[in-house]
DNA sequence: CCAAAAGTGTTTCACTTACACCCATGA
DNA sequence: TCATGGGTGTAAGTGAAACACTTTTGG
């Protein structure tokens, strides 16, 4: 066999930070560990990468197995490989983050028991391993991409009101936005289709429903650059298929 | 031993895309492979991760061993893990990119032979494995970060002229920038210290030298966001220490 | 005095920001 | 009719973009 096999190998896992906006809060789906190490502690779902599956496939498989979540937006986040991050031995983890829309969420509920639970990202329990860093980094990335891509729409149902859209931005960014400016901007982008339907709930004017017109993740035009000429955005950062 | 060891393990490597701006061109440092697979083909430097070193340490070690490059800016890029990317067997690679300033570059020259060479990123030879994708992605990321962080200064010597600074931006972004606007903007940022010295070469007015005042990588204020209030940038994206 | 790169200001235009009231509905 | 959230416009300020000539030096 080739000389590759002479080297000792670390274990490789994938771990996924699953976000969803629930009841005007940004939540993360956690699993309570049933085995050592960190038995009883909460952790983000993940597991070992199979020898014949891509990293993203592995992440999706683990997600399905552990939380029943399928067909959602996923993106590679960062690879964590500090030698001591897993007491069992050298383990490198490729972290992903996933976004679940309000209307995809039943699936996550369909799991067995109390071992899977949504927590506010702003009030997490102590997490196993270095999972707290992973979640923190995922939040940073999500906020960042919210500003120049359409990732956010992955968190909304197909039909949504502008108020819901704005509320989603507000929870994630953890700050209030101006209603008129927000609407002006988002409507001027030409990525929303106004529907005939309205959503009426409660004793007030019904809200117009919209849908997101793009199939793919889109990035808005690049922010002002170093001197001269507008730069259309080259690539999309992250969201690569996976190797090759 | 813990159950971790029941799983077959992929090999894990680190590979680094090394950029430098040379003679008004953006170059990548490549190594000619001496062994199969892809013997004779050019590749980015890299190698297996040791069991007791962090990923970034591994990347730095390989860089030092293979190209004599040390003490340069490095940042994790992406992890490539398609099952078939290495014909020898399952190998996952954590890709990094490194930036070498003009005045740090001697080191890279100090290697043995013709086996290490700089190539224009705009005119690369065929590369081994999926290294072409890795370089392409590194370029995308570099361009992207050039627009909102100070990474670019890692490619310049301690003292530089505004023309050199602008030229660096132009090669990387592959487009011309307006001289007056560029200077106005970069000077208004308060990150440059004008030096007394000037650089005179050639039969023309000498250029004032500047130095970059910040020690750390800095990110400029966030681009305009979804409605209301300026958003100071939360984190820096990438450039995490490594795990934990 | 000529060639070559360094250096410098102003105007235009677009977009971000701040801000307050009327509208449609159900109860 | 009242309470509740939905929906709308304008003025001011900031910053990006476009653009051409003078300055300083060496030869």
């Amino acid at each position: 066999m080739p000389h590759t096999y002479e080297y000792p190998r670390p274990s490789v896992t994938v771990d996924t930070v699953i976000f969803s906006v629930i009841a005007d809060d940004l939540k993360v789906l956690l699993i309570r560990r049933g085995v050592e190490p960190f038995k009883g502690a909460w952790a983000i779902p993940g597991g070992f990468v199979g020898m014949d599956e891509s990293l993203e496939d592995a992440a999706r498989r683990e997600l399905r197995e552990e939380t029943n979540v399928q067909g959602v937006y996923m993106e590679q986040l960062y690879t964590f490989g500090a030698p001591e991050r897993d007491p069992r031995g050298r383990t490198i983890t490729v972290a992903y983050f996933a976004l679940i829309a309000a209307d995809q969420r039943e699936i996550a509920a369909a799991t067995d028991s109390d071992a899977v639970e949504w927590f506010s990202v702003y009030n997490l329990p102590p997490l196993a391993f270095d999972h707290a860093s992973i979640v923190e980094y995922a939040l940073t990335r999500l906020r960042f991409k919210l500003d120049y891509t359409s990732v956010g729409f992955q968190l909304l149902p197909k039909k949504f009101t502008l108020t819901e859209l704005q509320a989603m931005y507000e929870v994630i960014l953890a700050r209030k936005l101006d209603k008129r400016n927000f609407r002006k901007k988002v409507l001027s982008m030409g990525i929303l289709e106004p529907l005939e339907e309205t959503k009426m709930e409660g004793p007030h004017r019904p809200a117009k429903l919209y849908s997101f017109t793009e199939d793919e993740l889109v990035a808005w035009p690049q922010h002002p650059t170093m001197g001269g000429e507008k730069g259309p955005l080259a690539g999309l950062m992250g969201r690569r298929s996976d190797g090759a």
Side-chain angles (χ1 to χ4, degrees), chain A:
Chain A
M1 288 307 283
H3 79 292
T4 322
Y5 291 89
E6 296 166 19
Y7 294 81
R9 302 179 183 184
S11 299
V12 180
T13 59
V14 285
D15 286 305
T16 303
V17 180
I18 309 171
F19 288 115
S20 196
V21 173
I22 307 179
D24 278 323
D25 193 12
L26 181 61
K27 308 279 192 182
V28 177
L29 192 61
L30 300 178
I31 293 193
R32 192 196 295 274
R33 287 182 59 84
V35 297
E36 293 294 348
F38 297 101
K39 182 170 178 174
W42 293 94
I44 57 176
F48 294 93
V49 174
M51 290 302 273
D52 294 308
E53 61 187 355
S54 74
L55 298 171
E56 184 169 325
D57 286 349
R60 289 190 182 278
R61 177 182 49 75
E62 291 288 349
L63 218 57
R64 190 169 0 96
E65 291 175 6
E66 299 193 351
T67 66
N68 209 36
V69 169
Q70 281 184 70
V72 298
Y73 177 83
M74 277 188 100
E75 161 178 335
Q76 191 186 303
L77 188 58
Y78 195 80
T79 299
F80 294 77
E84 302 306 334
R85 58 175 297 282
D86 187 330
R88 288 169 297 185
R90 187 67 194 281
T91 307
I92 290 165
T93 195
V94 183
Y96 279 77
F97 80 86
L99 303 179
I100 306 192
D103 59 351
Q104 301 180 290
R105 207 183 307 125
E106 324 111 33
I107 52 183
T111 8
D112 21 21
S113 58
D114 53 41
V116 179
E117 211 169 297
W118 290 104
F119 287 84
S120 168
V121 76
Y122 300 113
N123 188 197
L124 291 172
L127 299 185
F129 305 104
D130 51 1
H131 289 189
S133 316
I134 299 179
V135 173
E136 184 196 336
Y137 188 47
L139 178 57
T140 301
R141 175 88 133 249
L142 175 61
R143 283 179 175 162
F144 203 85
K145 295 197 78 163
L146 208 58
D147 266 354
Y148 69 97
T149 72
S150 58
V151 257
F153 293 100
Q154 304 294 333
L155 289 164
L156 294 178
K158 292 237 167 31
K159 302 171 181 183
F160 50 85
T161 69
L162 294 185
T163 302
E164 287 164 349
L165 178 60
Q166 180 177 344
M168 182 266 289
Y169 269 81
E170 290 180 340
V171 216
I172 298 176
L173 298 176
R175 68 166 191 268
K176 288 287 175 199
L177 302 176
D178 181 89
K179 184 163 56 160
R180 281 178 286 191
N181 292 337
F182 182 85
R183 286 163 182 245
K184 207 184 314 169
K185 174 147 190 176
V186 81
L187 288 174
S188 76
M189 287 181 167
I191 53 174
L192 293 187
E193 181 176 24
L195 306 175
E196 287 313 309
E197 307 165 68
T198 58
K199 173 175 193 169
M200 39 183 168
E201 51 177 15
H204 53 79
R205 180 169 174 177
K208 189 184 249 313
L209 285 166
Y210 292 81
S211 67
F212 179 55
T213 55
E214 314 297 317
D215 286 335
E216 292 290 305
L217 183 69
V218 295
W220 351 118
Q222 185 69 286
H223 35 107
T225 71
M226 285 281 190
E229 285 150 75
K230 307 187 182 186
L233 191 52
L236 284 198
M237 302 275 300
R239 189 51 167 166
R240 301 180 66 73
S241 53
D242 186 53

